Amino acid sequence: MLLNFAPKLTKLKADSNTEDKIKEAAKQVFIAKGFSGCTSREIAKAAGMNVALVNYYFRSKSALFKIIFEAAMGDFLLSMLEVFNTSLSLEEKLRNYLSREYEFLAKYPEIPSFIINEMGRKDGVHIDNTSVFKCIEQTGIFEECLIEQKAGRMREIDITSITLLMMSNCQFPFMGAAVIKQVHGISDEQYEKQLVQHKQIVTDMLIGYLFPGSTSTQITQK
Amino acid sequence: MLLNFAPKLTKLKADSNTEDKIKEAAKQVFIAKGFSGCTSREIAKAAGMNVALVNYYFRSKSALFKIIFEAAMGDFLLSMLEVFNTSLSLEEKLRNYLSREYEFLAKYPEIPSFIINEMGRKDGVHIDNTSVFKCIEQTGIFEECLIEQKAGRMREIDITSITLLMMSNCQFPFMGAAVIKQVHGISDEQYEKQLVQHKQIVTDMLIGYLFPGSTSTQITQK
DNA sequence: CTCTGTTTTAAACGCTTGTTTAAAATTGCT
DNA sequence: AGCAATTTTAAACAAGCGTTTAAAACAGAG
């Protein structure tokens, strides 16, 4: 026992141990219903096990939530960072960002709502996100925008507004899906197809607006 | 007693009776924390009274929520309907819509999140919104878009995408305020000013995109 | 004042919540 | 095998939940 210098080596045998099963269940339940919208027992049942096990592996509901939230945050920012850390032109980076973001959100459409809601709540479980946001800044994407603006290749609007334009037109179509579907009385499958079209529209509009002199003025409709 | 043909006439004396005080408190609490994020006692305390009174005037927490939600929905759609029921040109209608929407959301920034969240929840208190959405359709705004598109004055994109563009760029800047503020490390007051600028940018971009041949290509920046 | 119906209160209801406990089952090691 | 540590279980805990009850406080009319 004292010689055990490689602890938990046996853990590697199973590709799906109890701890991970709980995390997976918690991820689904938390993202679907929010922190205050679900119970510990609900998560346990979704994982197919006892309530006490949830608190055995993760000290409390809050602690588990923190882990899930931060993981969601990480997933969400990963593709963003991957795109921004390339050496493409700014226009190409933004095009890629839009493309990747729509791909990602098609897979995990509930994540933006989840993040925004839980961050917005005044009484929510407090989480320090500063490191995550520092990552974005460190890609130098903001400075790059300023350079392109100075060079006259990019429209001179505030960087915050650029972020807003990009995020608004990516995230809202997924966050507000329920409302839009009801307004236009369309089915889930129809809306999925709609989003494919909309991705192209958003790309055309944003690139056309941000880079007025670009070659992006294509006849991409229909 | 049998002769009382004007019931509750005495109720008109006070401009703020108990029932309204509860509704006002419930509105604030529900919108800030959501249905499952708050308790009946919390609402009662916010109204300065006993828990039992909440259920005395409104049968249950769910019943009260339904009332508040529908009122929020009504407020939210009111300005939209007012604009769409005018006899201006489509471009002017959309310009006015954007302007009014930013005004409204500056006052009640939490309403879109509230509506979208509670509508999106699978297990939420079920509410029939069909009548509300019928109202939008009845303004004839969608047909008007089709006419303008046929006439070649409006870009030929799907009506659903037009709705998405309008709503995304209005609502997200308020829904995602907490995230954007943290990303760019800006204060509440700075962000308020940012939104004033952004409203103008969004208007330029959307009108410019939707009505390619319009006079809207102004030098509205800086 | 007395009698009426309405409004407000304090207390209790049964149930669910997050969390803990202590015993049972399982595992890994010699 | 047998022992020690880990993992899982069932049961219990106090606290809080939405809701109900029954009595108190209040108001208006005769």
Side-chain angles (χ1 to χ4, degrees):
Chain A
M1 194 198 327
L2 284 167
L3 293 171
N4 188 2
F5 287 113
K8 306 213 175 182
L9 203 146
T10 56
K11 282 290 179 54
L12 298 173
K13 63 175 179 185
D15 61 331
S16 168
N17 55 2
T18 302
E19 195 171 336
D20 290 341
K21 269 194 263 182
I22 296 176
K23 274 214 279 209
E24 196 49 46
K27 188 175 176 179
Q28 287 185 308
V29 177
F30 273 141
I31 289 182
K33 303 196 173 188
F35 178 76
S36 60
C38 72
T39 70
S40 300
R41 283 169 175 82
E42 196 175 349
I43 292 169
K45 189 172 285 182
M49 47 193 57
N50 199 293
V51 206
L53 269 183
V54 174
N55 279 19
Y56 173 74
Y57 283 100
F58 312 89
R59 278 183 33 256
S60 65
K61 187 191 179 189
S62 303
L64 176 55
F65 177 81
K66 210 165 176 174
I67 290 170
I68 300 302
F69 182 84
E70 281 166 358
M73 203 73 162
D75 288 354
F76 187 66
L77 288 167
L78 190 66
S79 59
M80 195 186 295
L81 295 179
E82 279 179 8
V83 172
F84 290 166
N85 278 325
T86 59
S87 54
L88 296 165
S89 72
L90 181 60
E91 183 183 325
E92 276 308 314
K93 275 184 191 170
L94 295 191
R95 281 182 182 278
N96 281 358
Y97 166 79
L98 292 170
S99 179
R100 296 276 291 264
E101 207 68 349
Y102 265 79
E103 263 179 56
F104 176 83
L105 291 171
K107 272 192 208 163
Y108 312 101
E110 291 170 305
I111 286 190
S113 286
F114 176 62
I115 292 176
I116 283 177
N117 288 331
E118 303 294 342
M119 272 194 62
R121 292 265 183 274
K122 331 283 179 197
D123 61 339
V125 180
H126 189 263
I127 290 164
D128 182 47
N129 303 114
T130 48
S131 63
V132 152
F133 293 125
K134 285 241 175 81
C135 284
I136 305 176
E137 214 170 10
Q138 279 170 3
T139 64
I141 189 77
F142 299 141
E143 286 86 347
E144 203 171 340
C145 286
L146 291 174
I147 291 170
E148 293 293 298
Q149 289 181 330
K150 286 270 191 296
R153 286 187 293 268
M154 187 182 212
R155 189 183 291 260
E156 286 203 34
I157 61 175
D158 202 292
I159 303 292
T160 306
S161 270
I162 297 175
T163 309
L164 271 173
L165 288 178
M166 300 292 286
M167 294 185 76
S168 296
N169 289 285
C170 283
Q171 299 187 26
F172 185 88
F174 296 90
M175 299 176 65
V179 178
I180 302 290
K181 278 187 271 190
Q182 193 156 1
V183 169
H184 289 279
I186 57 183
S187 68
D188 292 10
E189 302 86 45
Q190 280 178 293
Y191 193 68
E192 263 184 54
K193 288 178 193 165
Q194 184 71 45
L195 284 175
V196 177
Q197 281 183 46
H198 195 69
K199 170 183 168 178
Q200 189 59 55
I201 290 170
V202 160
T203 306
D204 286 356
M205 180 186 71
L206 289 177
I207 299 295
Y209 182 75
L210 293 175
F211 304 97
S214 167
T215 60
S216 67
T217 341
Q218 312 152 5
I219 16 107
T220 28
Q221 30 171 329
K222 188 35 89 26
Chain B
M1 194 195 327
L2 285 167
L3 293 171
N4 189 2
F5 287 114
K8 307 215 175 183
L9 204 145
T10 56
K11 281 291 179 55
L12 298 172
K13 63 177 179 184
D15 61 330
S16 169
N17 55 0
T18 303
E19 194 171 336
D20 290 342
K21 269 195 263 182
I22 296 175
K23 273 214 281 211
E24 196 49 47
K27 187 176 177 179
Q28 288 185 308
V29 177
F30 273 141
I31 289 181
K33 303 194 171 190
F35 178 76
S36 60
C38 71
T39 70
S40 300
R41 283 170 175 82
E42 197 175 348
I43 292 169
K45 190 171 285 180
M49 47 193 57
N50 200 293
V51 206
L53 268 183
V54 174
N55 279 20
Y56 174 74
Y57 283 99
F58 312 89
R59 277 183 34 258
S60 65
K61 186 191 177 189
S62 303
L64 176 55
F65 178 80
K66 211 165 175 173
I67 290 169
I68 301 301
F69 182 84
E70 281 166 358
M73 204 74 163
D75 288 353
F76 187 66
L77 288 167
L78 190 66
S79 58
M80 194 185 296
L81 295 180
E82 278 179 8
V83 172
F84 289 166
N85 278 324
T86 59
S87 55
L88 297 166
S89 73
L90 182 61
E91 183 182 325
E92 277 308 315
K93 276 184 191 170
L94 295 190
R95 282 181 181 279
N96 282 359
Y97 166 78
L98 292 170
S99 180
R100 297 274 293 263
E101 207 69 350
Y102 265 78
E103 263 179 55
F104 176 83
L105 291 171
K107 272 193 209 161
Y108 311 102
E110 291 169 306
I111 286 190
S113 285
F114 176 63
I115 291 176
I116 283 178
N117 288 332
E118 303 295 343
M119 272 195 61
R121 291 268 183 271
K122 331 283 179 196
D123 60 342
V125 180
H126 189 263
I127 290 164
D128 183 47
N129 303 114
T130 48
S131 63
V132 151
F133 293 125
K134 286 240 175 81
C135 283
I136 304 177
E137 214 170 8
Q138 279 170 3
T139 64
I141 188 78
F142 299 141
E143 285 87 346
E144 203 170 340
C145 285
L146 291 174
I147 291 170
E148 293 293 298
Q149 288 182 331
K150 287 271 192 294
R153 286 187 293 269
M154 187 181 212
R155 188 182 292 260
E156 286 203 34
I157 62 175
D158 202 293
I159 304 291
T160 306
S161 270
I162 297 175
T163 309
L164 271 172
L165 288 178
M166 300 292 285
M167 293 186 77
S168 297
N169 289 286
C170 283
Q171 298 187 25
F172 185 88
F174 295 89
M175 298 176 64
V179 177
I180 302 290
K181 278 187 270 190
Q182 194 157 2
V183 169
H184 289 279
I186 57 184
S187 68
D188 293 10
E189 302 85 45
Q190 280 179 292
Y191 193 67
E192 263 184 52
K193 288 178 192 163
Q194 184 72 46
L195 284 175
V196 177
Q197 282 182 45
H198 194 68
K199 169 184 168 177
Q200 189 59 56
I201 290 170
V202 160
T203 306
D204 286 357
M205 180 185 71
L206 288 177
I207 299 295
Y209 182 75
L210 293 174
F211 304 97
S214 167
T215 60
S216 67
T217 341
Q218 311 152 6
I219 18 108
T220 28
Q221 27 170 330
K222 189 34 97 11

